[in-house]
Amino acid sequence: QSIRYAPMSRVRWVRAMAAFAVIAAVSACSPTMNWRKAPLGAVAFNLPCKPDSATRNQQIGDHTLSLDIMGCEAGDALFAISQVAVPDKAAARDIQSAWQQQALRSMRAGTPEAAPWTSPSWGKSAISIQATGVDPQGKPIQARLSWLLHEQRLYHLAVYAPKVSPEWALTFLEDISLL
């Protein structure tokens, strides 16, 4: 005995398409990047997800510093912001240079390239680089690493991903404000 299927009525077809459209619209409203302001010290940064934060002592060059860090993961990328107190501008240059070398060494990066960045006007000694290396599991990774000085605080902003999206990096790096 054969089973006969009744053709879908036009009303049922329209309802099914309407349900599909609602599901597609709801999915489109769940963005990978849910940007929000997050404060660290006297500065607010734009992060694509709710950050975790921690404080720890960190050896950077010849200095042992209290490092405040916050970060989160979204869209296969890790976004992190760190800050340390520096005694003066000369020490800030030395610390930034050592911090850059440590960051590049930790990802076994090749020679970094300068990266475009419109840093905030109040940020001093701003630098931004991009590099390619490997993550702790040995997989290829790209990084966008930036530093800026505000008063006695040196800030480090980092994006790590298999492929860093220029749009995400710029949204992260260029929406920085003082509190």
Side-chain angles (χ1 to χ4, degrees):
Q1 180 178 8
S2 67
I3 299 175
R4 296 176 54 174
Y5 294 96
M8 186 181 280
S9 72
R10 183 166 181 78
V11 171
R12 287 182 67 197
W13 185 83
V14 168
R15 284 184 184 159
M17 290 296 108
F20 176 74
V22 167
I23 290 169
V26 168
S27 297
C29 291
S30 301
T32 301
M33 300 296 174
N34 184 9
W35 296 97
R36 70 207 54 217
K37 283 290 187 182
L40 184 62
V43 182
F45 299 91
N46 210 18
L47 284 169
C49 40
K50 185 178 177 185
D52 292 320
S53 60
T55 300
R56 67 174 188 221
N57 286 331
Q58 180 74 33
Q59 185 72 31
I60 302 176
D62 296 333
H63 305 271
T64 300
L65 302 165
S66 178
L67 175 80
D68 297 317
I69 186 168
M70 70 177 172
C72 62
E73 294 183 48
D76 291 331
L78 170 68
F79 296 81
I81 304 160
S82 308
Q83 73 166 351
V84 295
V86 294
D88 56 46
K89 194 170 182 175
R93 279 192 298 274
D94 293 341
I95 293 167
Q96 185 278 323
S97 179
W99 204 344
Q100 178 179 332
Q101 294 309 311
Q102 283 177 230
L104 294 170
R105 201 171 29 256
S106 73
M107 62 181 282
R108 295 178 291 206
T111 304
E113 299 175 9
W117 182 29
T118 305
S119 65
S121 60
W122 47 262
K124 306 299 178 215
S125 306
I127 183 173
S128 191
I129 59 174
Q130 53 195 17
T132 301
V134 294
D135 69 11
Q137 291 75 38
K139 295 179 184 170
I141 194 164
Q142 294 180 344
R144 178 72 184 266
L145 308 169
S146 304
W147 288 265
L148 68 94
L149 180 65
H150 174 64
E151 296 177 350
Q152 297 300 113
R153 301 302 237 172
L154 181 61
Y155 292 89
H156 171 49
L157 296 86
V159 180
Y160 296 94
K163 180 161 179 47
V164 172
S165 162
E167 294 82 22
W168 293 352
L170 288 178
T171 300
F172 174 61
L173 293 170
E174 295 188 358
D175 192 7
I176 303 170
S177 57
L178 293 174
L179 294 176

